[in-house]
Amino acid sequence: HSHGLNRSSLGLNTRLSTPRFTIMMIRRIFIVSLISTATTAFVVGPQQARRIFPSSSASTKTQKIVYSPPLRMVGAGIDPTSSSPSPDSTELNNPSTRFGDPLSDEMKAFNKGAVGFLKRTIFDTLFAGRDYPRFYALETIARVPYFSYTAALHWYETIGMWRKAKYLKIHFAEDLNEMHHLLIMESLGGADRWFDRFVAQHIGVAYYLVALGLYFWNPTMAYNLNQYVEEHAFLTYDQFLKEHEDELKAQPAPQVAIDYYSGDDLYMFDEFQTGSCEVRRPQIDNLYDVFAAIRDDEAEHVKTMTALQTETELSNSHDDSCEVPEELLGY
């Protein structure tokens, strides 16, 4: 009691009996179940539900869903000339073909313009002349959509709609990669100012909600928007490398970067790099090498986001379609 703390001051109800607790939990579970049902009906809709749960009745022919023409297939391990899944097949390849629809060129242009507008109005204004805080904010925001994707995929799996662990694994690996980018920027002082952390974190929360809503509405839209975010990241780092090459090569690499790119634990480094059997192992000798590796990571994210907007079944160097020497796997 020396600090004036007790169970009552902490808001703990010591009189909550077991029967009351049980009733309270049942009520909460019931409310959550109602919300879950309503959310599913809202985000999926009747047409999407028919795609996910095809009817076996004779009336199915009268309710047949009209699908867009097959999209071009790309990526390692996929034969572009092979036949596409039939419209009635339940074995559609990825989240975009399972739950989404292709985007028009106008919508893609809108997404690209929206990312460019935010870059000019926020990043070019608030972080002008301050590269490391800018990169810290960029990496804080860049990892957010992968949280949203995994949350949505967990939701579909939990309620029995669809399960494909490969995409959970890919998005989790992408998040781990962006997390290490963030740790690198923090080690360089990018998060030293409270204002920079405030801006980056609040934009990140907003983007999480936007990405989650878009993913439920149309995963293709969520992937397309993030494609342009990752393109912006790639171009930002590429320009930074060109403008500061000599300066960066004269500075040592942060230990967190050396540990990530050259350490024994690769943190699923190979899993987020899709569409190729080539194994990347960046050589980290100085700060220039660090930013070159980060830039190349962003290019991999762009490639994955682009492929996920097609009927591609993604592959990487850990898939059965690739033969990788064991000494390069790092496991």
Side-chain angles (χ1 to χ4, degrees), residues 48 51-52 71 91-102 149-150 152-154 156 162-171 214-223 304-305 307-314:
Q48 198 79 290
R51 185 189 302 185
I52 300 167
L71 296 170
E91 297 298 327
L92 298 176
N93 289 317
N94 64 37
S96 289
T97 51
R98 183 67 170 175
F99 301 107
D101 295 296
Y149 304 160
T150 53
L153 291 173
H154 273 296
Y156 286 135
W162 190 68
R163 173 190 294 164
K164 212 155 193 181
K166 171 185 291 188
Y167 296 101
L168 284 170
K169 187 176 183 180
I170 289 173
H171 293 322
L214 288 177
Y215 203 91
F216 276 127
W217 177 45
N218 186 356
T220 312
M221 172 74 83
Y223 288 139
T304 299
M305 292 297 102
L308 280 169
Q309 299 168 56
T310 71
E311 289 183 346
T312 300
E313 183 74 22
L314 291 183

Side-chain angles (χ1 to χ4, degrees), residues 142-193:
R143 68 184 300 218
V144 161
Y146 305 118
F147 292 147
S148 302
Y149 304 160
T150 53
L153 291 173
H154 273 296
W155 169 265
Y156 286 135
E157 180 176 333
T158 300
I159 62 177
M161 280 187 177
W162 190 68
R163 173 190 294 164
K164 212 155 193 181
K166 171 185 291 188
Y167 296 101
L168 284 170
K169 187 176 183 180
I170 289 173
H171 293 322
F172 187 69
E174 289 172 316
D175 165 55
L176 283 176
N177 177 250
E178 298 288 12
M179 181 195 75
H180 283 87
H181 293 178
L182 182 62
L183 293 175
I184 292 170
M185 300 313 160
E186 290 176 348
S187 72
L188 294 172
D192 288 351
R193 291 180 55 181

